[in-house]
Amino acid sequence: MKYGPLKDSIISSYTENMDEYLSSDEYRQPEWEATKMYYELEKKLDPEDRPFLAEVFRAFDEIAEDKASEAYYRGVMVGIAEYDSFKGK
């Protein structure tokens, strides 16, 4: 689907750069370290407290995902809409 040169460029650049970044050690290393810390903490908890820890971390993950989606929407989608509006004048 063609969106026009600017939109195509933004989408292509975003996809190419994010795919490369998401598969890089630069992206993965902090997650590996955090996962290791999580399991070290989990081992220190009583078995009945472990599900609550998982719940807390899931809540933080959801918050982070919501923020990332909103940042993407505001930064890219609104920018494209504003460009189209400006271009149409």
Side-chain angles (χ1 to χ4, degrees), residues 6-44:
L6 177 64
K7 290 180 187 177
D8 287 342
S9 177
I10 290 171
I11 291 168
S12 174
S13 175
Y14 178 84
T15 301
E16 181 180 314
N17 286 295
M18 286 306 293
D19 285 349
E20 185 178 319
Y21 174 67
L22 293 175
S23 63
S24 73
D25 285 344
E26 175 187 2
Y27 173 78
R28 292 179 176 184
Q29 188 64 34
E31 190 170 331
W32 291 331
E33 290 172 12
T35 299
K36 181 180 172 186
M37 290 176 5
Y38 172 87
Y39 285 113
E40 287 173 5
L41 175 59
E42 185 184 54
K43 286 180 196 175
K44 294 177 183 182

